[in-house]
Structure formats: C-alpha cells, structure tokens
Amino acid sequence: MSKKLVAFFDMQFITSSISTMLVLLLLGLVVFFLMAANNLSVYVRENIAVSILISDDMKEAEITRFQKELNGFPYIKKTTYISKAQALKEQTEAMGTDPAEFLGHNPFTASIEVSLNADYANADSIAWIKDEILSHKHILEVNYPQDLLDAVNKNIQKISIVLLVLAALLTLISFALINNTIRLAIYSKRFLIHTMKLVGASWNFIRRPFLIRNIWVGVLAAAMANALLTAMAYLLVRYEPDLLAVITPSVILVVMTSVFVFGIIITTFCALISINKYLRMKVSDLYSK
C-alpha cells in the first residue's frame, strides 16, 4: 500500500500540483478582489450621509415618530438624530469657538442623518427619496454630497469592468497553463497508454487512473492555494481591523469555494482532453506531441 502511495504521489504529481496551485492562487486573488471591491462599494455607498434638516417647531415626540417612520422604509439602512444642542457642540469642537456666544442664539437646526441601502445610493433613487421626505411639512432641507456620490458610483463602475475583464483573461490563461501542465504529464505516459490498448484494455479503464490522479492534483492545488489566500486575508485583517467590513467570512467562503471547484473542474476537463488525444493516436504519432 505504501509503495502504491509513493508511486501515486511522485515528483511529477507534486510538480503538477504546485504549478496548478500557482495558477489557482492568481485566479483566487482575482475572485477575492472582485468580492472585496463589491463589499467596498456597498460600504462606501452606505456610509454616504443624507442630512434631513428639521424645523424648530417640530416637537421631540414628532421627531421620534418621524425617525421611526424613516427606519421602516426599505431604502433606509439606519438613522441618527442630532439635536440643536448636539449640532452646536460638534461645530464648536470643530471650529474651536462657540458661534452662539457672538450670535446670541444657536444658529443650527436639529437634523436626522440617514444612511441609505447601497442599492438606493444613486442619483435617480435619491432624487425621488428627497421629494418623498420633503413632502413632510416640518422638513426644511434634504442635503447630500451629490459630487461625491457621482464620483463613487462612476469609479466603482470602472473598477468593476476592469476586474471582470481581468477575471475573464486570467480564466483563459489559467486554462491554457493548467492544460499544458497536464498534457505534458500525460504525454510522458503515452507509450503506457498504447501498451494498455494493445492488451485490450477499454478506454474507460485507461482513462480512470489518469482522471483520478488529476482530480487529486486539483484538490491538493486548491487546498494549498486556499491556505495561502486565507493566510493573506488574515494578515490583512490583523494589520487593519477595519477591513473586516470588506473582507467578510462570506468573501473568504466564496473565494475558497471558487478555487476548489475551478481546480477540480479544470484539471479533470484538461486530463480528459489530453487522455482522449493519446487514446486516438496511432503508433506512428507517438513520437511527436
């Protein structure tokens, strides 16, 4: 049994696994950046504040009811009430002086800071949300950083397109590299394949050990790539804990699953193509690639 294992996990197997692992690592990095970029775009859009300025004649009880009403809307993620006194305190700390001292009154108004759900953080959605909120008689203004919002959405769109194109190109390159690695490994066994054909072995019988071997290549390569990707994510989060909002457990799970599934599918498919090529090959062609 040990001799069979040694024969199975030989140097060629290890070399193929490492080569495949490097390609899967690159592919996993692209998937990782795609998922992280998506989470980053959601995080940024959901942290763009929309400020609702409230009239002074609106009572505290009415403000509380209005805030609860806002929290019930599907497009609102969360709300934060800022009273006149709190607004004055924050501005005094920011400016280093108290405006109320030389004006004789508090010049600020109470407000509700609103964070929208990411799907609604765009110019079109905010336009009708603003109109809906302004329909309330005690609302003075609805302010939001239009330029920042447009810039964020535009840049996110550009980055997404670049990453998708990169992912498509890398998938093709990955297929070519893994296919070449597996083809060379099977090429070294072409005379053995021909000998098995001569003694009457069926094509399925000949295919089986090659497919099983390359499935294990895919499994081992994916496991090594996933270990490196997980370690990288852990180090990033440990270095900057705020990245937990972007590098979530779901991102790691999707990346690991993608690498594992792609590793098995691509190695199996490439092995099937290569083995079929040598099964169809005539004896006169065995000395060429």
Side-chain angles (χ1 to χ4, degrees), residues 7 32 36 54 60 70 78-79 85 101 105 189-190 195 245 275:
F32 175 81
I54 301 171
E60 289 291 333
L70 288 174
K78 66 177 182 179
T79 61
E101 288 183 358
H105 67 279
K189 305 289 185 182
R190 65 194 186 283
T195 301
I275 189 66

Side-chain angles (χ1 to χ4, degrees), residues 78-288:
K78 66 177 182 179
T79 61
T80 303
Y81 172 59
I82 301 174
S83 66
K84 285 172 64 70
Q86 185 179 348
L88 177 62
K89 180 181 178 183
E90 291 177 357
Q91 289 301 319
T92 300
E93 291 175 354
M95 297 167 60
T97 183
D98 188 352
E101 288 183 358
F102 56 88
L103 290 176
H105 67 279
N106 185 347
F108 301 105
T109 61
S111 65
I112 296 177
E113 297 291 326
V114 172
S115 296
L116 299 174
N117 285 316
D119 293 338
Y120 295 91
N122 56 73
D124 294 336
S125 296
I126 290 182
W128 63 260
I129 291 172
K130 180 179 178 179
D131 291 339
E132 185 172 330
I133 293 174
L134 283 173
S135 64
H136 196 288
K137 64 180 181 179
H138 292 297
I139 301 305
L140 301 176
E141 290 182 37
V142 176
N143 297 324
Y144 62 96
Q146 177 70 55
D147 293 340
L148 175 61
L149 185 64
D150 292 341
V152 167
N153 286 322
K154 188 180 294 184
N155 289 332
I156 286 171
Q157 196 172 39
K158 289 179 181 178
I159 292 170
S160 298
I161 292 172
V162 170
L163 286 175
L164 285 172
V165 171
L166 182 62
L169 288 175
L170 191 56
T171 300
L172 293 175
I173 294 171
S174 301
F175 177 82
L177 290 174
I178 294 175
N179 182 59
N180 189 56
T181 300
I182 292 174
R183 184 173 62 83
L184 288 175
I186 295 178
Y187 172 76
S188 65
K189 305 289 185 182
R190 65 194 186 283
F191 292 110
L192 175 62
I193 293 171
H194 182 67
T195 301
M196 294 176 73
K197 284 169 60 180
L198 290 178
V199 298
S202 66
W203 282 23
N204 284 335
F205 181 83
I206 298 172
R207 282 193 199 100
R208 190 177 300 114
F210 288 98
L211 291 177
I212 293 173
R213 180 184 176 88
N214 282 286
I215 287 173
W216 278 107
V217 167
V219 170
L220 180 59
M224 290 189 293
N226 281 333
L228 289 174
L229 289 167
T230 303
M232 180 196 73
Y234 172 76
L235 291 174
L236 284 173
V237 171
R238 187 170 180 179
Y239 177 77
E240 183 54 67
D242 289 341
L243 286 175
L244 276 171
V246 176
I247 307 174
T248 60
S250 61
V251 168
I252 302 301
L253 181 61
V254 170
V255 171
M256 291 180 67
T257 303
S258 300
V259 169
F260 188 78
V261 171
F262 185 83
I264 293 176
I265 290 176
I266 197 68
T267 51
T268 304
F269 184 66
C270 290
L272 190 60
I273 292 175
S274 296
I275 189 66
N276 284 341
K277 173 185 175 181
Y278 292 110
L279 283 171
R280 296 189 187 97
M281 192 173 283
K282 296 178 182 179
V283 65
S284 59
D285 299 325
L286 291 177
Y287 295 92
S288 63

